Amino acid sequence: MRSRGSLLIDRGFSFLKGMKPDRLWFHRGDFLDCVYRLFTRFWLFFLILVLCFPAIAATPRFDFTLENIRHPVFSIRSAGIKLIGAPSPTLEINLGEVAIGKQTWHGLRLRCNPVHIDRESMNCNTGTLQIGERFMTMIFRLSLQHKQFVLEIRPASNKSKEKWRLEVNWQASKWQGVLQVVNGEGKFLADLLPQGDDRIQVHQAILNGNIRLSGNNASVSALSARLGISKLSFSDASGLHAGEGIDLQLDADAQQKRNDWQWRGKITWPEGEIFWQPFYFSGEGHQLTARGTVKDERINITQGEFNLAGTGKADFSAVAGIADQSLQQAWLSARDLELSALFGSIIRPLAVDTALAETEAAGQMNIDWRYQGNDNQELIVGLQDVSLTDAHGRFAVERLNAHIPWNSNEKRDGSIRFSNAQMVGIPLGETYIPIGTDGMRFSIPRAEIPVLDGKMLIENFVASMQASGWQWQFDGLLAPISMEKLTESLHIQPMFGTLSGTIPRMSYANSIMTMDGELVFGIFDGVAVARNLALSGPLSLTPHLTMDMAMYHIDLDLLTRAYSFGNMQGRVDVEIDDLELINWEPVKFDAKLASSAGDYKRRISQAAIKNLIALGGGLAVTAIQKSFLGLFEQFGYAEIGWSCKLRGSVCNMGGIGPATHDGGYMLIKGSGIPAITITGYNRKVDWPELLERLRHAIESGNPIIH
């Protein structure tokens, strides 16, 4: 005859084991409610065992297995419970597989020896918890009399005094819980959380603090967290995201009121470094505070403030969808931001392939930004007393003040003003530039920029954003500028005369600037014409320029008077076809210089002849003519001619035509009394060496005769 206890055990196991997997399918609802009901069923199982404890002594071992527990949030496979009654009560819980989202854990095992179970409590003072390859010591106490559950977990070694302690107390339908962490290993916690294939790998982190929760039944109604994270380091496989030595302080509270949650939080970052391609930040006391609500699957930040140490603070608000993780609307306002810090951490990394990447900035900046309906609605940028300086001296701006308003649906007017500036050493005077914005269209109707003793006029400037990127165009005029002042600003040998001309329509599209028509300007009492201009990457570190250029009726007296090269009188025409410059250095051109047609004085000085001989190389005059060099200061000539086809760093040189002997080429054809003819012999000349010869001849005034 079977005992009453044995009968209860049989019925209890029949009830639980008879439940099919589909009967353990929890309805899609509150996750905590599902966990609560699962815990209740396990507790019912232990109560059945307690009621039948005499039978445990007679039957030393009980096994209980649930093959499959499924829920939309989690699933458990092969959940087994063993209770061994002799020689001492031992409890084992084995979970073959636990899956939450995309993360899966295998081989979770809890063992408690001994375990004390009665009608009011279950206690384990010596237990072990295994998660994968990690072992931890564990104690837990469950008291129905005091309505309390305590779980404490420590690493097996416990060298770091690490401790995770969870305490839950309840009365009737109300409950509260506290998770206390002491020197918690953040890497272990991060490994337990669901991660994607491109996850951030946490290498080290130490957690200290507590998290408090309270609620009714199985729902949470209040939460607070006071956590400190220290020595945090992380990286990803690509190396584009990394952090080292990071300390963070988190202070947050949340309460449920009716159908929504009200929350507030503060994060302080005092130390550490973060690289998040392309940005780099260091912790210097930065602070983020925010408060808001959570309702109807939306997070609403009603009031937020971001304080970036050394830069300034920004106020913001935002609304974001939880399900689709979308930003629905946002607003940000910042005043008096220090541009030097902002430029270094935000702007310069975004402009890594442009000239701004090596620019220093100072001054203050204001920003107002509004976002709504999956689109930017408004952006207003203000600059106060800003200075910009290029590290290579290519440009500089002083006392720049600007008000640049932009609205996606309305026309706005703004302005840019600076006291002075310089471009490649050329000074620009005080300038006021009116600007207009209309959606993604920006315009400057007219602006005058003082340049030395002249000015540059810009008219009809229009820039717009197209599918292929930014496009702009303008035309203008260059008023007469003194060549003497211009060459002085460029730190080159003085030239004389004036530079002036019209600027045809200049256009920019697909990162290439082109010129419609011809750029015509006066130089050295002649005319210069530029055609077919195309400049790609004008703001990049390696701009690429191609063009054709010609100069007509250039006064050699004005040209050579500027240098210590010797004097030449006459007129020349210069044609440069297929000119190609990379980073402003020539790599290709076909150049030709020839005497202009017409009747004019044609003379060349002794010093100029010696320098031409040095540039041409080799024996350049006959023995008889060479003896005349010391007797006369000037010589007559009939024609001058020189050509160069540059390919890479080699110049293939030529002249007026072939010489009468030795395969040379004629540079100057003599005429009159005294007359002199100069012949060149080196056909292939190293271009950098040729420039160095020319520089040496100009600077020393004593050419080296090869």
Side-chain angles (χ1 to χ4, degrees), residues 71-353:
H71 181 268
V73 177
F74 70 92
S75 67
I76 300 174
R77 292 181 180 272
S78 300
I81 300 175
K82 295 180 182 180
L83 184 61
I84 303 172
S88 63
T90 301
L91 173 67
E92 287 189 9
I93 299 177
N94 294 281
L95 303 179
E97 179 182 285
V98 178
I100 300 178
K102 296 181 179 180
Q103 183 75 355
T104 302
W105 301 273
H106 297 276
L108 277 70
R109 182 184 182 190
L110 182 151
R111 190 174 192 275
C112 188
N113 182 16
V115 61
H116 175 75
I117 304 174
D118 59 29
R119 291 176 176 81
E120 296 294 336
S121 65
M122 180 167 60
N123 296 325
C124 175
N125 294 322
T126 306
T128 59
L129 177 64
Q130 179 183 355
I131 303 178
E133 300 297 325
R134 185 180 174 94
F135 288 86
M136 293 163 282
T137 62
M138 176 199 69
I139 64 172
F140 69 83
R141 296 188 299 274
L142 177 61
S143 173
L144 295 181
Q145 179 183 1
H146 299 97
K147 296 180 174 56
Q148 184 185 65
F149 173 73
V150 176
L151 172 65
E152 188 172 303
I153 299 175
R154 298 174 183 265
S157 61
N158 202 28
K159 293 180 180 179
S160 63
K161 306 298 182 182
E162 180 181 1
K163 180 176 72 173
W164 301 75
R165 187 178 189 276
L166 173 65
E167 179 178 333
V168 180
N169 296 276
W170 68 92
Q171 293 292 334
S173 62
K174 294 184 178 180
W175 63 271
Q176 59 182 5
V178 179
L179 174 63
Q180 182 184 14
V181 185
V182 178
N183 294 328
E185 186 178 331
K187 182 181 185 303
F188 166 67
L189 184 62
D191 291 342
L192 293 181
L193 297 177
Q195 301 285 355
D197 295 336
D198 56 347
R199 66 173 182 163
I200 297 292
Q201 179 69 43
V202 176
H203 304 296
Q204 182 182 9
I206 299 175
L207 280 70
N208 284 280
N210 58 74
I211 300 174
R212 298 178 180 272
L213 298 95
S214 60
N216 299 313
N217 296 321
S219 64
V220 179
S221 59
L223 178 149
S224 66
R226 309 288 183 271
L227 284 176
I229 303 174
S230 59
K231 300 180 181 180
L232 171 63
S233 64
F234 65 85
S235 65
D236 64 359
S238 67
L240 301 179
H241 310 94
E244 187 72 30
I246 300 169
D247 288 356
L248 296 173
Q249 299 293 329
L250 171 65
D251 185 354
D253 295 288
Q255 289 185 340
Q256 187 178 26
K257 293 188 177 181
R258 295 182 181 178
N259 296 325
D260 62 346
W261 282 80
Q262 296 183 0
W263 59 271
R264 65 142 200 102
K266 179 171 71 173
I267 298 176
T268 304
W269 178 20
E271 292 184 20
E273 301 171 293
I274 291 179
F275 172 71
W276 202 272
Q277 173 71 13
F279 305 110
Y280 168 82
F281 300 97
S282 60
E284 301 173 357
H286 311 307
Q287 193 173 91
L288 172 66
T289 60
R291 65 176 62 247
T293 61
V294 177
K295 184 179 181 181
D296 299 331
E297 294 294 318
R298 295 195 307 176
I299 298 177
N300 185 3
I301 303 175
T302 57
Q303 182 180 357
E305 180 182 291
F306 182 63
N307 196 326
L308 194 62
T311 300
K313 70 180 184 71
D315 298 317
F316 66 94
S317 64
V319 177
I322 298 176
D324 57 1
Q325 300 180 356
S326 64
L327 181 63
Q328 298 174 359
Q329 63 183 57
W331 166 85
L332 180 143
S333 179
R335 292 289 178 272
D336 299 328
L337 299 177
E338 287 296 330
L339 194 59
S340 57
L342 187 67
F343 209 87
S345 59
I346 303 293
I347 300 176
R348 192 182 294 133
L350 293 175
V352 65
D353 293 326

Side-chain angles (χ1 to χ4, degrees), residues 8-28:
L8 284 172
I9 291 175
D10 287 345
R11 289 179 178 177
F13 277 101
S14 298
F15 166 73
L16 292 171
K17 295 178 72 174
M19 295 181 68
K20 297 180 179 179
D22 59 343
R23 297 188 63 181
L24 289 176
W25 177 276
F26 299 110
H27 296 290
R28 183 179 295 272

Side-chain angles (χ1 to χ4, degrees), residues 480-507:
I481 297 174
S482 167
M483 286 297 298
E484 186 174 4
K485 292 184 177 180
L486 179 62
T487 52
E488 181 182 357
S489 299
L490 295 174
H491 301 288
I492 61 177
Q493 290 294 324
M495 300 182 187
F496 303 94
T498 60
L499 176 66
S500 62
T502 59
I503 303 175
R505 177 61 55 93
M506 305 290 291
S507 303

Side-chain angles (χ1 to χ4, degrees), residues 375-376 406-410 437-442 462-466 470-471:
D375 202 2
N376 294 300
W406 173 84
N407 188 281
S408 61
N409 301 311
E410 300 177 4
T437 65
D438 184 7
M440 299 307 293
R441 184 179 185 272
F442 296 80
V462 176
S464 62
M465 172 60 79
Q466 305 296 328
W470 281 101
Q471 298 182 6

